[in-house]
Amino acid sequence: MRKRFISALSVASALLFYHSAWGQEGKSVWQRFDPILTVFTNFHSGLAEAGDDRGFALERCYLGFRYAITDDLSFRGAIDIGQFPKEEDNQRFAFLKYAEIQWKLGRMKLNAGMISTTMFKVQEYFWDKRYLMKSFQDEYDFGSSADLGISVAYDFDDRLSADFIFANGEGYKKLQINNGLLYGLGVTYRPIDQLTLRVYGELNEGGEDGERTSKVLALFGGYKNEHFSLAAEYARQFDYDHLQGRDVYGTSVYGSWYIDKRWEIFARYDKLMSNHGWQATEDGQRIVCGLQWKIGKYIRLAPNFRCTIPDVRSDATLWYGYLNCIFSL
């Protein structure tokens, strides 16, 4: 079933691409290309107990392009160059992050291929500092930021929209070889222009014998205007990593005060928990606060302090100072 699904998706995307290209007029081929180049880097230093952890890091680099086939149809392709887990952080890897057709049909938007997932895109918009720290669900592995599949979003009006995703469920770093699939449904409501409310639910089937279907429930509320932003979210994953009875849940609160168009002060508080403390070494609190400076159009700098407070009392509270930077076209 999986091979047929992937083959059908590939054929449909190719036919759509070539069919639409025949009718393209106006811009030259090169004018319809936009480059994608994004680099995350930092200098960090641990304080007190973490004093031995310091240095420069190149955390991530996205390379790719976006091609406008027509005004309503486009293709995006990008690779993600990052680093292995900390025990092997002298190594680098490269993955195909995006390879997707994006099609607008009136109030509906369709994405197909290696697509951006919908679980925490709204939260990422409000947090707006992915180069510094991932949004809550991404940071603590509730789900992947990209996957192979199809997503559909529909705007009922200016206030209410819904989105559905149907994907492999293993993210962009793994080749799907089993029978599990992911289904996600989200509803976003904006009662006023500055306020956004969202609820999202997801089922991720276990692909091997004995694996449970993991379930995610996420709630979000955020307010943003020209002076400040404030947001809060709650997420819970039932049967985390397809293991029965192992739930992970938590909250994140974050906000910014915009001093002017170039400067802002920000802060964030995370609390991660597991039922019955089965994930005790990961449970705890994290606090981040700092200053962001926009240097022109393409560069942002963020000096910030971070504190990790573990739930296990025998573990030390860790303090860090960071200088994060993003360059993005």
Side-chain angles (χ1 to χ4, degrees):
M1 180 184 75
R2 184 52 45 77
K3 290 182 179 180
R4 291 197 298 270
F5 167 71
I6 296 174
S7 298
L9 177 62
S10 302
V11 171
S13 299
L15 289 175
L16 185 60
F17 184 93
Y18 286 115
H19 172 74
S20 300
W22 280 103
Q24 177 66 26
E25 297 179 356
K27 294 183 178 180
S28 69
V29 170
W30 295 112
Q31 289 176 319
R32 298 197 294 270
F33 273 98
D34 285 319
I36 296 172
L37 173 58
T38 302
V39 178
F40 300 165
T41 185
N42 73 67
F43 174 79
H44 62 275
S45 178
L47 307 174
E49 295 281 349
D52 292 335
D53 185 1
R54 66 174 70 94
F56 292 90
L58 179 62
E59 294 183 334
R60 219 157 208 92
C61 179
Y62 297 112
L63 296 172
F65 67 93
R66 182 178 286 103
Y67 179 75
I69 304 168
T70 69
D71 290 341
D72 298 323
L73 185 67
S74 63
F75 174 82
R76 179 174 64 153
I79 60 172
D80 176 1
I81 304 171
Q83 64 185 36
F84 279 106
K86 291 184 179 179
E87 62 270 15
E88 301 179 56
D89 61 6
N90 60 330
Q91 302 292 323
R92 287 293 182 269
F93 64 79
F95 288 107
L96 179 65
K97 183 65 179 282
Y98 302 116
E100 63 178 333
I101 289 286
Q102 301 173 323
W103 193 13
K104 296 180 181 179
L105 294 167
R107 293 179 177 270
M108 185 174 71
K109 296 179 182 179
L110 171 68
N111 292 346
M114 185 66 79
I115 63 174
S116 177
T117 56
T118 57
M119 176 186 281
F120 41 76
K121 293 303 291 182
V122 173
Q123 292 89 322
E124 281 189 336
Y125 164 75
F126 269 84
W127 171 232
D128 192 33
K129 295 170 184 65
R130 169 65 181 82
Y131 72 102
L132 187 150
M133 184 178 178
K134 299 175 184 177
S135 59
F136 181 79
Q137 294 174 75
D138 195 9
E139 181 72 21
Y140 303 110
D141 296 325
F142 281 71
S144 177
S145 59
D147 206 343
L148 184 62
I150 298 171
S151 69
V152 180
Y154 187 83
D155 295 329
F156 295 96
D157 53 36
D158 293 338
R159 303 294 184 191
L160 181 65
S161 64
D163 51 83
F164 174 76
I165 185 169
F166 172 52
N168 276 346
E170 293 190 346
Y172 63 97
K173 297 179 182 179
K174 296 181 180 180
L175 178 65
Q176 176 68 287
I177 57 174
N178 54 39
N179 294 319
L181 288 171
L182 178 148
Y183 313 87
L185 177 64
V187 177
T188 304
Y189 178 54
R190 297 179 176 86
I192 58 176
D193 290 342
Q194 297 85 2
L195 180 63
T196 300
L197 304 174
R198 178 170 170 82
V199 58
Y200 176 84
E202 180 181 285
L203 299 176
N204 191 346
E205 299 172 334
E208 303 291 344
D209 292 340
E211 288 189 342
R212 301 276 294 183
T213 296
S214 294
K215 299 167 282 292
V216 172
L217 173 64
L219 306 174
F220 171 81
Y223 183 89
K224 190 172 189 176
N225 61 27
E226 61 182 358
H227 302 295
F228 72 94
S229 66
L230 181 63
E233 58 181 290
Y234 169 85
R236 182 165 190 140
Q237 185 170 99
F238 303 86
D239 297 329
Y240 180 81
D241 202 23
H242 307 293
L243 299 173
Q244 184 175 2
R246 293 196 170 187
D247 298 353
V248 175
Y249 56 98
T251 57
S252 182
V253 180
Y254 41 93
S256 294
W257 174 41
Y258 308 119
I259 301 171
D260 56 32
K261 292 183 178 180
R262 298 176 63 192
W263 294 90
E264 72 176 80
I265 297 172
F266 63 87
R268 171 172 160 181
Y269 170 81
D270 291 355
K271 173 68 173 178
L272 182 69
M273 295 165 280
S274 58
N275 63 328
H276 312 302
W278 67 267
Q279 190 182 235
T281 57
E282 302 295 330
D283 293 351
Q285 305 168 70
R286 294 179 73 179
I287 300 170
V288 182
C289 60
L291 182 71
Q292 180 174 263
W293 177 28
K294 294 182 179 179
I295 306 175
K297 184 177 179 181
Y298 304 111
I299 301 175
R300 286 186 281 170
L301 290 176
N304 61 96
F305 287 97
R306 308 183 190 188
C307 174
T308 300
I309 308 171
D311 275 0
V312 179
R313 294 186 178 181
S314 60
D315 291 346
T317 297
L318 300 179
W319 295 85
Y320 281 87
Y322 271 77
L323 176 61
N324 291 81
C325 177
I326 179 175
F327 173 81
S328 181
L329 291 180

